[in-house]
Amino acid sequence: MSHNLHYFHRAWIQSDPRTLEAEVCVYGGTSAGVVAAVAAARRGRTVILLQPGLHLGGMTSGGLGWTDYGQKHVIGGMSRQFYRDLGKFTNTDEQWHFEPHAAEQTYRAMLDDVDLKVFKAQYLDKVQMDGKRIASVTCLGGLTVKAHAFVDVTYEGDLMARAGVSYTVGRESNDTYGEKLNGVQVRHHHQFSHPVDPYVEAGNPQSGTLPYVNPDDAAPQGSGDHRIQAYCFRVCMTDKPDLRVPWAKPADFDPRLYVLATRWFNSDKDEYNEVLRADGSMAKFDRLGVKHKTDTNNHGPISSDFIGANYAWPEADYITREKIFQQHVSYQQGYYWHMANDPAIPDRYREAYSQWGLARDEFEDTGHWPHQLYVREARRMVADHVLTEADCRHERTCDDPVGMGSYNMDSHNCQRIVRDGRVLNEGDVQVAPAGPYGISYKCIVPKRGECENLAVPVCCSTSHICYGSVRMEPVFMILGESAALAIDLALRDGAALQDVPYDALRPELDQAGQVVELPSEAGAV
């Protein structure tokens, strides 16, 4: 294992007893974090960006190069400019399918173009409140930052939680917000299409279920629970021989984790199992702009998603998250090695996986493995407007949009269950919205009466299933920029973020090129 392939490492934490001051403190160096920090700095604000970790850009520089954009014509502002800037790497006007290093270089260029301070390996330790405002934050190692306004752009919502803001984790029941797609969902996408045995000893329920298979059936359809959609790494692979790093067997390889895969790929009704297409190509090995590299995502009933292994992540401490991170690394590396090398896997799959490996010129300081775990969902703020299916289905509209979403209501599976002696996946939903929809300003600031100087563009106020649509990197960048513009207005007027008049914010959004309502020609890109 590379020394730097971690979520958290004690050796990264350096003693720093300083107290620094700024107008804006951005916590989290995700895509939204970089954009929020740069947008505030461009407005002349003094900005400090604290990144828990060593890399900037979150998932966008962490392997998610095949952008989930929904409808491009509602992506504007700095978010759209980011994809235009990426075009220089492939001599195109815009690039939505890009190499990880190109994304990180683009974010660095954005930061180098403004005057702000970036501190890496800064993990939140303490939050000092002054009434309903955050006065300062202190990180492990001792660095303290006092600021007038704060932005939580982590995937987990750690600052939001420490500031006492209302939030939830897990899936609401359909009854909570009058939805149809929330809660428990046993559906047909990424599903075992025919019976596969879930037991340690095939055919023997007394032997117990295989790892991460719930021995019980699912709760009634639409029931709420604590579960969240599965995590994985978006891996940059290559089939170019001189660039390929072969799959390595993890030191802690656990063969029990792959019994289900072996059974599935040897199943009697095998028709390429949604992974290997009839032409020999691999499903969801999405080719990037350079063609010889991929952004490889989960696909099919069993793949790179480590279903059921992430429930503790949102509320866990850093040491526990590091343990979960390494479990995901080991599982996914072990899965690829198993598929490429285990003789129990049919020849056509082993041969197909053996042609692939990690790209030698990506993630060079983390053993060519992505540095960012795909935290698809963690905490979600509960604010004065909770975005739900009603927004996605155009059954209601907000009067204060600060961006638009347009991607499918997309949840990955949340658990594996046993029903009638066979294993089934549960939680996957893929349903398109009625069209692009507005995201209320009230979704990115805490409810009135809670924290007055904090914006939360990433762990924003949505239901579980609506978050499945919002949680796209272009949208996070859009909301990050809008949060920065609102903060600039709040600082100018000495106002709480909840009191920023939308009539004042809207012209700023328009001037920045943000798209907050449908253009007259909806088909334009």
Side-chain angles (χ1 to χ4, degrees), residues 5 67 72 78 180 211 240 257 290 292 298 309 314 326 355 398 402 405-406 410 437 511:
L5 182 52
T67 308
K72 294 177 185 175
M78 292 174 65
K180 298 177 181 177
K240 189 176 181 182
L257 294 176
V290 294
H292 60 272
N298 179 81
Q326 296 302 339
Q355 294 174 20
C398 65
V402 290
S406 63
D410 177 2
Y437 55 88
Q511 185 176 2

Side-chain angles (χ1 to χ4, degrees), residues 271-289:
E271 294 181 359
Y272 293 95
N273 285 304
E274 302 182 49
V275 174
L276 184 62
R277 299 188 181 102
D279 65 0
S281 63
M282 304 289 284
K284 293 309 294 176
F285 282 47
D286 293 317
R287 299 269 184 175
L288 302 176

Side-chain angles (χ1 to χ4, degrees), residues 59-78:
M59 282 306 303
T60 298
S61 65
L64 205 168
W66 185 269
T67 308
D68 298 314
Y69 48 73
Q71 299 189 31
K72 294 177 185 175
H73 65 279
V74 297
I75 300 171
M78 292 174 65

Side-chain angles (χ1 to χ4, degrees), residues 432-454:
Y437 55 88
I439 301 170
S440 169
Y441 174 62
K442 289 186 284 292
C443 290
I444 67 169
V445 295
K447 63 177 61 175
R448 188 172 295 276
E450 294 189 346
C451 190
E452 296 178 347
N453 65 337
L454 174 67

